[in-house]
Amino acid sequence: MAITGMMIMGFVFAHMVGNLKMFLGPVDFNHYGEFLRELLVPILPRTVALWLLRIGLITAFVLHIHSAYSLTRMNHAAREVQYQSKRDYIAANFASRSMRWTGIIFAIFLVWHLFDLTFTGTGYHYVRGYPYQNVVNSLSRVPVALLYMAGTIALGIHLFHGAWSLFQSMGWNNPRFNSWRRNFAIGFAAIITIGNLSFPIAVLAGVVAN
Ligand code: HEM
């Protein structure tokens, strides 16, 4: 869970930073998309490096979901009889108790996101190779912008607990580091959430426009 989580965190951070290029305008942003497709050319043919990264990412997602499923089954097997009264949570907070839900909500959003901006477009004039125009055309629809914000918030809550608990899973959990761990989890989740919220907000506000 933790190793694949860290791989996905690395992608999410790089993707958010890359998307900030949107604020530099269509030429820079579309050029960045092209740069990713041209990565390591001419050592490798066009898009091969990108496909290797994609395969790594897909593998990380599949293993992450598989670990989540196994963990859920172990949890249920460990307590076959439900708690009979309301539980008094001591160590668990809202983020940790909602990991399954925020994960499932984000996964559904991600499938939508891939259709929306990578595979086909979702009912607007999608043009392959022009991600800037695609982002503007898609996210200027208010319900879609709201969907991006909801997906981003689900991811933010998921990341907050994930970035905290990965230290526990890896065994890096000396009590002396706990305040550092907490600050890291809050900081990482906040940076990703604020960065990703800025895109639909900027499109709705007309700051990022065609
Ligand atoms: C809300 C903010 C987001 C925006 C504006 C955004 C924007 C984009 C754009 C424009 C593309 C297409 C790039 C291209 O065609 O060159 C893309 C692809 C993608 N996005 Fe996002 N994204 C956002 C959030 C996320 C998040 C949080 C994830 C988390 C996993 C994610 C995962 C992906 C993946 C896996 C691809 C496909 C990359 C590829 O195969 O080349 N995106 N995104």
Side-chain angles (χ1 to χ4, degrees):
M1 198 91 252
I3 291 171
T4 52
M6 283 189 281
M7 289 166 72
I8 298 168
M9 282 165 69
F11 169 79
V12 166
F13 182 75
H15 189 46
M16 191 278 289
V17 172
N19 281 340
L20 288 173
K21 287 216 168 358
M22 212 179 286
F23 292 104
L24 300 177
V27 176
D28 281 278
F29 193 65
N30 290 345
H31 180 254
Y32 165 64
E34 189 53 26
F35 160 81
L36 291 177
R37 285 182 278 273
E38 302 252 326
L39 214 62
L40 293 186
V41 171
I43 300 173
L44 292 174
R46 191 173 180 277
T47 74
V48 169
L50 183 62
W51 268 107
L52 293 176
L53 290 173
R54 282 172 176 161
I55 290 166
L57 188 64
I58 292 166
T59 310
F61 267 112
V62 169
L63 294 178
H64 197 70
I65 292 167
H66 179 262
S67 308
Y69 176 74
S70 314
L71 204 61
T72 303
R73 287 189 56 148
M74 275 160 66
N75 281 351
H76 288 167
R79 168 164 281 283
E80 282 168 358
V81 181
Q82 289 284 310
Y83 280 99
Q84 297 300 305
S85 59
K86 214 171 166 304
R87 283 179 68 181
D88 187 11
Y89 290 102
I90 296 169
N93 58 23
F94 171 72
S96 72
R97 283 182 285 128
S98 60
M99 282 311 264
R100 269 167 232 152
W101 280 112
T102 51
I104 290 168
I105 292 169
F106 181 73
I108 294 170
F109 163 76
L110 185 59
V111 172
W112 157 273
H113 172 52
L114 291 177
F115 276 97
D116 186 36
L117 292 174
T118 305
F119 300 155
T120 54
T122 51
Y124 65 91
H125 181 59
Y126 171 82
V127 187
R128 189 170 299 282
Y130 288 85
Y132 182 92
Q133 285 75 5
N134 293 337
V135 168
V136 172
N137 289 337
S138 180
L139 273 62
S140 51
R141 299 171 296 174
V142 174
V144 174
L146 292 176
L147 188 70
Y148 271 83
M149 291 185 208
T152 296
I153 289 168
L155 175 65
I157 298 169
H158 196 86
L159 277 177
F160 169 63
H161 179 69
W164 159 264
S165 57
L166 72 86
F167 293 90
Q168 201 82 21
S169 308
M170 300 300 293
W172 304 326
N173 57 351
N174 191 304
R176 278 186 298 152
F177 301 141
N178 274 354
S179 68
W180 187 92
R181 266 173 81 184
R182 196 176 163 73
N183 291 341
F184 171 78
I186 294 173
F188 188 83
I191 289 171
I192 299 296
T193 305
I194 294 168
N196 280 344
L197 280 178
S198 77
F199 308 126
I201 292 173
V203 173
L204 286 184
V207 176
V208 170
N210 279 323

